[in-house]
Amino acid sequence: MITPRPYQMDGITGIRTELKNGANCVVYVLSTGGGKSVILMYIASNAEKKGSTTYAVAHKAELIEQLSLTLCKAGIKHNLIIPKNKLIAIKKVQYQKFGAVFYDPKSNIYVGSVQTINRRLDTLPKANLIILDEGHHYVEGSEWSQIIEENEKAKTLLLTATPSRTDGKGLGRGCGGFADAMVVGPSMGWLINEGYLSKYKVYTTSKQWDLSDARTGKDGDYTSRSLEKIADKPSIVGDAIAHYKKLAFGMKAMCFSVSIEASKHTCETFNLNGIPSVHVDGSMDDLERRKAIKDYAEGKYMMICCESLIDEGFDLEAISQIEGATIDCLIDLSPTKSLIRAMQRWGRILRPKEGKTAIIIDHASNVLRHGLPCMEREWTLDGVDKKKRNSSEKDINIKTCQQ
């Protein structure tokens, strides 16, 4: 079993205390890269020892392998609720990495995506404990809520770095969600100061994009289609290439675009300008996507481009199984009204390594929109009025580079 860090153990103790005090559903908040996976491993392992039936659920099918390998690190055998072809692939990866297969169809720990487990709720045993990664998705009346609603006697743990939603719904019971209590771990700033996350620098632009024609969707964020007309332009991609070459050339980077097509265009342009790049999206074959990510981790590509596939929950080292692999630079070409999406992107590049200072090249002005990544934020389980600016938001001081 991996030994939790002191602050992780504090989180585990806080979660247990809330559950013992009568909470049925607890939100645990910890910055991306802070080690929520260790919390999951520790709690799932202890639940198994007690004979409890546990669901460990990823919010995307693409992250099942990562979740499975997280449990393997602690030597935890588990069931996998996935199609047969994916099961064979994950068992192979388990053996290659650990010299053993940790898949056990008799295990009381059921690992799967929210979509797959929803479809099989009638055949699965009722859960005693449900652990849900990216817990900010789980609100009433959505596809995410079915797992909780049909296991109403189960204790539920929602893990998230960002307990907030762009649509204004709260995660608290009576505010649109299910949570009775929230336990908040150390802030991103503290984790950076203590060396658990990387230091970073942010470069943004004084040339603000005109978003007056951008439309807002039902989720409260800009629609991809309306942003394409604004952001998928040669001049914008050209600026991104120039600034990457000036500020971060040679660093392993990721680039977010406003749509899949825009990401493909961006990737092609990077390649034409001597920056080896690869695009990934959810429509790709599993083997093709896995190979692209591994090739990127091994250094065949300097840049990985996407719309949103690798924002939430993506851990390059865990997925590629390349020890020490990190993403060190973010190029953001996708404006978002969502603090969640912005923070998830920033978090992808903050996993530490010796001597690293991560670079954020923010062409989309998301730092100006939402504040610096390590800005102190107060979280609540209540919903918010999305028409009002949060009074706790702070102005960001900008130094203009004389270049």
Side-chain angles (χ1 to χ4, degrees):
M1 172 64 69
I2 295 173
T3 303
R5 298 166 179 165
Y7 71 82
Q8 293 168 333
M9 201 65 234
D10 288 344
I12 292 166
T13 300
I15 292 164
R16 287 174 168 172
T17 298
E18 293 294 351
L19 292 173
K20 287 179 180 178
N21 288 342
N24 210 47
C25 178
V26 176
V27 174
Y28 179 66
V29 183
L30 184 63
S31 175
T32 298
K36 291 185 292 297
S37 60
V38 175
I39 307 290
L40 184 152
M41 283 188 289
Y42 195 93
I43 291 178
S45 177
N46 280 277
E48 184 187 37
K49 291 174 184 176
K50 296 176 182 178
S52 298
T53 296
T54 301
Y55 295 172
V57 185
H59 75 299
K60 290 181 181 178
E62 290 82 11
L63 296 177
I64 296 302
E65 181 179 316
Q66 181 175 312
L67 180 53
S68 173
L69 295 175
T70 292
L71 295 172
C72 292
K73 283 183 181 179
I76 301 172
K77 290 191 174 183
H78 51 280
N79 205 334
L80 285 162
I81 312 303
I82 53 177
K84 186 176 181 180
N85 62 323
K86 292 186 178 181
L87 175 60
I88 292 171
I90 291 179
K91 287 167 65 178
K92 181 179 179 180
V93 173
Q94 289 180 356
Y95 188 80
Q96 289 173 338
K97 177 65 177 177
F98 301 102
V101 173
F102 290 86
Y103 165 70
D104 180 0
K106 295 182 181 179
S107 172
N108 288 332
I109 299 177
Y110 295 84
V111 176
S113 70
V114 61
Q115 295 85 1
T116 302
I117 289 185
N118 272 345
R119 290 195 295 269
R120 303 192 187 183
L121 283 172
D122 289 342
T123 60
L124 291 175
K126 291 291 185 181
N128 303 113
L129 173 66
I130 305 172
I131 306 175
L132 301 168
D133 199 14
E134 305 303 337
H136 49 272
H137 289 290
Y138 293 86
V139 293
E140 296 173 343
S142 67
E143 68 168 321
W144 313 91
S145 65
Q146 188 177 350
I147 290 176
I148 299 175
E149 290 168 346
E150 297 199 18
N151 288 275
E152 58 184 17
K153 293 184 179 180
K155 297 292 187 180
T156 300
L157 174 60
L158 304 177
L159 300 173
T160 181
T162 49
S164 174
R165 292 176 57 88
T166 310
D167 63 8
K169 292 181 180 179
L171 299 183
R173 199 176 299 276
C175 299
F178 299 94
D180 304 300
M182 178 167 60
V183 178
V184 180
S187 68
M188 180 184 287
W190 185 90
L191 291 169
I192 292 172
N193 290 337
E194 296 297 314
Y196 293 114
L197 295 180
S198 170
K199 298 177 182 178
Y200 68 89
K201 290 182 179 179
V202 177
Y203 297 89
T204 190
T205 176
S206 59
K207 299 177 182 178
Q208 302 289 310
W209 297 352
D210 181 3
L211 300 179
S212 57
D213 291 332
R215 296 184 177 181
T216 301
K218 291 181 180 179
D219 65 351
D221 205 357
Y222 299 118
T223 65
S224 293
R225 181 171 294 181
S226 66
L227 285 177
E228 271 187 319
K229 299 176 183 178
I230 299 166
D232 189 12
K233 295 178 179 178
S235 60
I236 288 176
V237 178
D239 282 348
I241 291 169
H243 284 96
Y244 173 69
K245 287 184 173 180
K246 178 185 292 186
L247 300 170
F249 190 72
M251 297 179 75
K252 192 176 296 295
M254 66 191 313
C255 181
F256 284 98
S257 296
V258 298
S259 68
I260 290 174
E261 286 306 309
S263 177
K264 290 178 178 178
H265 296 160
T266 300
C267 182
E268 180 182 5
T269 307
F270 270 109
N271 279 309
L272 290 173
N273 282 269
I275 302 169
S277 304
V278 64
H279 162 85
V280 292
D281 66 63
S283 69
M284 295 169 67
D285 175 83
D286 282 353
L287 293 177
E288 180 186 10
R289 184 171 57 247
R290 185 180 288 113
K291 183 179 185 304
I293 292 172
K294 188 172 183 180
D295 285 347
Y296 168 67
E298 290 177 338
K300 182 177 179 179
Y301 302 107
M302 295 169 66
M303 185 81 61
I304 189 166
C305 303
C306 73
E307 178 199 16
S308 61
L309 181 72
I310 55 175
D311 54 2
E312 292 182 330
F314 182 85
D315 181 341
L316 181 63
E317 180 178 5
I319 290 181
S320 69
Q321 293 303 295
I322 305 298
E323 189 171 351
T326 62
I327 306 170
D328 305 321
C329 173
L330 164 66
I331 299 173
D332 198 348
L333 302 179
S334 181
T336 178
K337 291 183 176 182
S338 170
L339 173 62
I340 297 169
R341 288 174 181 155
M343 291 192 69
Q344 292 285 347
R345 293 173 193 173
W346 301 332
R348 296 309 117 209
I349 66 167
L350 294 181
R351 297 186 189 276
K353 65 181 179 183
E354 187 67 28
K356 172 179 169 180
T357 297
I359 299 293
I360 298 171
I361 305 175
D362 181 21
H363 289 267
S365 301
N366 286 321
V367 169
L368 301 181
R369 198 170 284 115
H370 299 294
L372 291 168
C374 64
M375 188 177 83
E376 294 293 328
R377 294 176 169 88
E378 293 185 8
W379 302 115
T380 176
L381 293 177
D382 300 333
V384 298
D385 185 346
K386 59 185 179 178
K387 293 181 180 180
K388 295 181 180 179
R389 182 182 179 188
N390 191 323
S391 60
S392 66
E393 290 182 2
K394 301 176 182 179
D395 294 330
I396 305 301
N397 294 322
I398 301 172
K399 177 181 178 181
T400 302
C401 297
Q402 303 300 318
Q403 299 180 18

